[in-house]
């Protein structure tokens, strides 16, 4: 049961990674802006073009990791997924401490990084470690021959990716709004 749950989180995490990678490749501007908000000096225009190219390269790498998880599986692919999400945890912690700059991962839908990002990234990283230690098969192998079970799992996977992206975008926006409204209410006091 734990193995199946961990692999489901791996699959959802890989799906989110693929989506974020595609968005970064086709629209790198929000990700580049997030680097500036995190304190990375973007410098002159020539350097900024290199950062845009790096954003696209990061997007390609993210898609490649997702493809490896889905098509190849095994210790290396899930290990790469674990490393990617561990890096996201570190970046999310740093960004949260600096005031929650947007990650830029989901283009214009990106929201301020919060403890929601840290938690979700940590869960996927831990699940990927479990999958890597287990040497889990690729998704295409795990789906097997049953058409009904395959369709049901792929629907679950799509819904899981949509839910995780929604929590990391709209949920994070609501979280940030809640954090800004509560202190305001505390300052104004009861009426």
């Amino acid at each position: 049961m734990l193995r199946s749950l961990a692999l489901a989180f791996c699959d959802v995490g890989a799906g989110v990674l693929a989506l974020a990678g595609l968005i970064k490749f086709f629209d790198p501007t929000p990700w580049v802006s997030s680097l500036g908000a995190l304190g990375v000096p973007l410098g002159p225009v020539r350097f900024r073009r290199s950062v845009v190219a790096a954003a696209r390269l990061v997007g390609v790498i993210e898609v490649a990791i997702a493809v490896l998880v889905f098509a190849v599986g095994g210790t290396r692919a899930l290990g790469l997924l674990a490393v990617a999400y561990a890096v996201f945890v570190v970046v999310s912690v740093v960004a949260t401490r600096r005031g929650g700059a947007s990650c830029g991962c989901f283009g214009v839908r990106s929201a301020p990084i919060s403890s929601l990002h840290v938690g979700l990234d940590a869960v996927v990283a831990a699940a990927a470690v479990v999958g890597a230690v287990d040497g889990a098969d690729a998704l295409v192998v795990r789906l097997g021959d049953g058409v009904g079970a395959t369709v049901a799992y792929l629907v679950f996977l799509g819904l899981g990716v949509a839910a995780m992206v929604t929590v990391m975008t709209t949920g994070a926006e609501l979280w940030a709004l809640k954090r800004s409204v509560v202190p305001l209410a505390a300052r104004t006091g009861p009426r």
Side-chain angles (χ1 to χ4, degrees):
M1 177 70 175
L2 178 63
R3 178 184 187 271
S4 297
L5 185 60
L7 292 178
F9 273 108
C10 290
D11 293 339
V12 169
V16 169
L17 190 65
L19 178 63
L22 288 170
I23 291 170
K24 253 184 233 84
F25 182 81
F26 289 109
D27 185 15
T29 307
W31 191 77
V32 171
S33 297
S34 72
L35 290 179
L38 288 173
V40 175
L42 298 178
V45 172
R46 184 179 65 224
F47 181 69
R48 194 174 294 253
R49 283 190 291 238
S50 297
V51 175
V52 168
R56 287 196 165 109
L57 178 61
V58 167
V60 168
I61 291 168
E62 289 175 344
V63 170
I65 291 170
V67 167
L68 285 172
V69 169
F70 291 140
V72 178
T75 300
R76 289 187 182 129
L78 290 161
L80 288 172
L81 185 67
V83 168
Y85 273 90
V87 168
F88 299 156
V89 168
V90 171
V91 170
S92 296
V93 167
V94 169
T96 302
R97 289 186 177 162
R98 291 191 177 177
S102 169
C103 68
C105 295
F106 304 109
V108 296
R109 293 270 345 243
S110 297
I113 296 175
S114 69
S115 56
L116 290 172
H117 291 84
V118 176
L120 286 172
D121 292 341
V123 166
V124 175
V129 167
V130 169
V133 169
D134 188 45
D137 289 327
L139 176 63
V140 294
V141 173
R142 286 185 280 123
L143 287 175
D145 296 329
V147 174
T150 297
V151 169
Y153 190 80
L154 292 177
V155 167
F156 159 79
L157 178 57
L159 292 172
V161 168
M164 189 166 165
V165 170
T166 300
V167 168
M168 293 180 116
T169 56
T170 306
E173 287 173 354
L174 291 172
W175 185 265
L177 182 63
K178 173 193 165 272
R179 291 178 57 109
S180 67
V181 169
V182 170
L184 178 63
R187 283 192 303 234
T188 59
R191 294 186 183 221

